[in-house]
Structures are given as structure tokens and as C-alpha cells.
Amino acid sequence: MKKRMTALLTTLLLALALCVPAMAAVEYGAIYDETEVLGSVELTYQGEQTLPQLTEALGIDLRVDVFTDEGVENSSVSDIAVYVYENSGYGCGEKRDGVSLTLLLRGTENGAYTLSETDWCVYALLDTARGSAQELSDVVRDAVSPYMVQRAWNGEDMTMSATALSQAVGAMAESVENYLQAGASPEVTGDDAEAQTPEQTGADMNYIFDLSDQLSFEEWAELEARASDISQRHGCGVYVAFVNDFTEYGGGNDVYKTTYQLYHANELGMGENRDGIIILLSMDERDYAMFVYGKNAEYAFNKYGQEQLEDAFLGYFGDNDWYGGASHYLDTCDEYLTLAEEGDPVRKNTLPMYLIVVAASCMISGFICIMLKWKMQTVHKKVEADEYVAAGGLTLTKQYDRYTHTTETRTKISSDSDSGSTSSCSGGGGSGRSGKF
């Protein structure tokens, strides 16, 4: 009787502790974040697209819950994981198959959060006909553990923590998928499985981030493969991100700042210098930004190169041709990177300008010389020096200033709502452009 009462009290305490903070938490689909500081483009995509799609395809519920220690000081993370799974409607089918990754973060004085090695757990339920829940839990735990290290959750850099969580979610999804496919029956892995349309997963989505569903799966898969090939061949990451509202990802109302923050938060780029280029398009207000980072990338895409690159694809996006715009962007990036590797990067040709300047200078000088010579035709050399002075000398009889007119110059101030307007930007350790499309 005493044990039952203890269990009941624990359940009630957990219910009160978890329901109250949930009012202010952030949900990214299958990912619940009570801290409200772990958001990122990739994490949002995983919660709204990757995990739900795998859940539907595999018939197993995939969830990630991040709680704080406020009000649950006496509860272990495993108790919280079990309680939430059992009481939040998690699970698929009669057996309620599913896997949840639960983190219990500890708040710090500076408003950040830390995670100890004992404050996270993996909970799994699985029909015995499909495999062992314990084996599945162990497989997921082994896949996730490299991203739960203290270095990534030191309470100093929450951006690094968000990146670690995103990588953990990708590892979780991939390990569950591999485990179930390895133990699937021939009916599941036969011709019917091959006929099914594959889904985007966090492990595969590395270059084309379609968070606003502008591309079909076939279009996304083809662009993702091309972007991967270009990036690997040139050692420079080439990325595209479609979002609904860029202000949801930090950076305030500055689309360029949001773009470079996303680039760094998700550790994009290739090589030691993380060379790469990314374009971000926000659908709500049709905002656009380009960010170039790394020595080699900025050599291939300098200020002039960025302007020319923009001209190659931005018009397609302006016409809502998302696939066409992304395709021309990738092709042009491939061309510019190839030219840079050959030592002939895209640069503005200054020779015509030099020729024009020289020719104009010669013409102006010649005209002046001709005019001076023409005016000197009536001038004759005098015999005596005093003959050059007019009789009586020079006498000033009156001197005054007369107001004639005022010159006023006006310059148009471009509005943020000007359609198709873009301009150069800098910041985030790199350079780029931003505006409207």
C-alpha cells in the first residue's frame, strides 16, 4: 500500500511539474523544448518533417523532449521519460511502438543550461514481433551518446548545444531506421518497400533545406545530390534554405544576420576554414540573403562575383520557380568554383574602362589646346616690356557679391519593400547580399 501511495504521489508531482512550464515551451513538431533556446533551422526541420515522416513510414513514434530542472529536483530523467511517454499519447499501433529521447537540463546563472552524463535517457517500446525494445534502446543510446558529452553542453554556448541536439536527433532517426530494416520481414523489404517513395531524413538533408515545402521530393532529392557532388568536388559547401519566416530563427529583423547565424549555428562549410556559400529565402515577406564564408569561397565569390551569381538565379525565385532558381544557382556556383580553381575567378573587366578614360583624357586635352591656340591668334610680341601694361594701369571702381541661386540635391531612400532590390552586406566573418526577391 505504501509503495502504491508513493507511486501515485510521484505521478501527481510529475504532472504538476511538467504541465505548468509547458505553457511557455516551444514545440517543433515531434521535438519539445522547454528551454526555448535550442531552436535551429535543422532542428525545426527534423521536428516538423524528418521525425514525423519516419514515424509514418516505419510505424514507430519518434519523439524528443527537453525539460528543465525547475520543479523536478527529486525526479530522475528516466522517471520523467516514462511518465511523459505513458501520459502524452506517444506510440504507434496497439503496442504503442516508439522511441523517445529525453533530456533534463540544469539552469545556470547566466540563463544558459548544462547537461550532465546522467541527465538524459532513451526510452523504447516495441512489439516483440519486430524486435527487442531493450536492443533498440541500446542501439539508439549508442548512436546518440557522442553528442551528449559535457563539452557540447557546458552552459556557455547554447548554439553549440543546439547543434549537438540536432546531430543527436539525426543519429537517433538513422539508428532506428537501420535497426527496423535489418530485422524486417521479406514482405516489408521486398518489392513493396522498393516501390515506396523515400523520405528526407536528417542524415540525408545536408545541402538543400526545404523548410517551407517549396519542392517535391523528387526535385529535392535531385538538387540535394547535385549540391553534394558540387560541394565535395570543390571542397566548398553550397547550400539553399527555404523558410516561411526567417525571424523565427533568430537575428531579429535582419535576414542577412539570420543567415550567417544559421550558417555558424549548424556548422556549415567544408574544410578547416569551413568554406561555403548559402542562400536563404523567406516566403512570408519574400526576403532574401546570401552569405559567403571562408578564404577559398570568398576568392571564388567576391563582391562582383556575388552580384553576377545573383543575376543568374534570383529572377527565377521572383517568378516562384523554386526548382529553376535552385538549379541555376547550383550550376553557376559550380562554374564559378571551377574558374577559381583554374586561377581565373570571375572578376570585373577593367580594361574597357581604362581605354575609355585614356581616350576621354586625350580628347579633352586636345580640345583645350586647340581652343588656347585659337585665342592666341591676335596676340603679337611687343618690343618693350611696358607695352604689355594697359594705359593707366588697372583700377577697381566697384566690388560686390550677387546671390544667384541655390543648388539642391535629392537622393531616393530605398524602402525594404522595394521589389527585387538587393545590396551588399558584411558580417559574421564573411560577406554577402540581402534584399527582396
Side-chain angles (χ1 to χ4, degrees), residues 51-66:
L51 297 185
Q53 288 172 358
L54 278 178
T55 294
E56 183 177 356
L58 302 175
I60 184 168
D61 199 3
L62 300 177
R63 301 278 183 162
V64 178
D65 294 305
V66 181

Side-chain angles (χ1 to χ4, degrees), residues 168-375:
V169 173
M172 170 186 174
E174 185 175 11
S175 61
V176 171
E177 185 176 15
N178 291 340
Y179 178 84
L180 293 179
Q181 288 182 348
S185 62
E187 289 78 9
V188 176
T189 58
D191 295 336
D192 292 339
E194 294 179 359
Q196 294 178 354
T197 301
E199 303 291 348
Q200 303 176 31
T201 66
D204 297 329
M205 188 192 66
N206 296 319
Y207 301 97
I208 309 297
F209 304 94
D210 183 16
L211 307 184
S212 57
D213 295 327
Q214 302 301 321
L215 304 170
S216 67
F217 176 81
E218 290 75 15
E219 290 174 336
W220 169 85
E222 193 250 324
L223 292 173
E224 175 73 19
R226 286 169 57 190
S228 176
D229 174 65
I230 294 170
S231 301
Q232 297 296 329
R233 282 193 289 107
H234 298 292
C236 177
V238 180
Y239 309 94
V240 180
F242 297 102
V243 301
N244 289 321
D245 182 6
F246 76 89
T247 61
E248 297 178 356
Y249 304 97
N253 294 321
D254 189 338
V255 65
Y256 176 75
K257 182 177 180 181
T258 298
T259 303
Y260 74 67
Q261 286 183 345
L262 294 176
Y263 186 94
H264 293 305
N266 292 279
E267 295 185 344
L268 301 181
M270 304 186 71
E272 294 182 358
N273 298 321
R274 293 178 49 223
D275 289 285
I277 177 172
I278 181 174
I279 58 173
L280 181 145
L281 295 101
S282 180
M283 302 302 150
D284 283 1
E285 299 295 334
R286 301 184 75 83
D287 293 289
Y288 150 79
M290 173 194 300
F291 178 61
V292 179
Y293 185 79
K295 181 178 179 181
N296 294 333
E298 293 195 77
Y299 176 70
F301 306 102
N302 70 342
K303 182 178 179 181
Y304 176 76
Q306 293 170 15
E307 294 177 5
Q308 298 303 303
L309 172 63
E310 186 179 79
D311 291 340
F313 66 83
L314 203 58
Y316 290 90
F317 292 137
D319 294 333
N320 296 331
D321 184 358
W322 314 115
Y323 173 80
S327 180
H328 280 78
Y329 163 74
L330 293 178
D331 289 341
T332 310
C333 284
D334 190 10
E335 177 187 352
Y336 284 23
L337 288 168
T338 300
L339 291 173
E341 290 172 356
E342 295 173 350
D344 186 24
V346 175
R347 295 291 185 268
K348 188 174 183 179
N349 188 358
T350 58
L351 180 59
M353 182 60 67
Y354 287 140
L355 294 177
I356 292 174
V357 171
V358 171
S361 300
C362 292
M363 291 177 62
I364 294 173
S365 300
F367 177 76
I368 293 174
C369 291
I370 292 174
M371 291 299 297
L372 291 174
K373 184 178 180 181
W374 179 78
K375 288 183 178 181

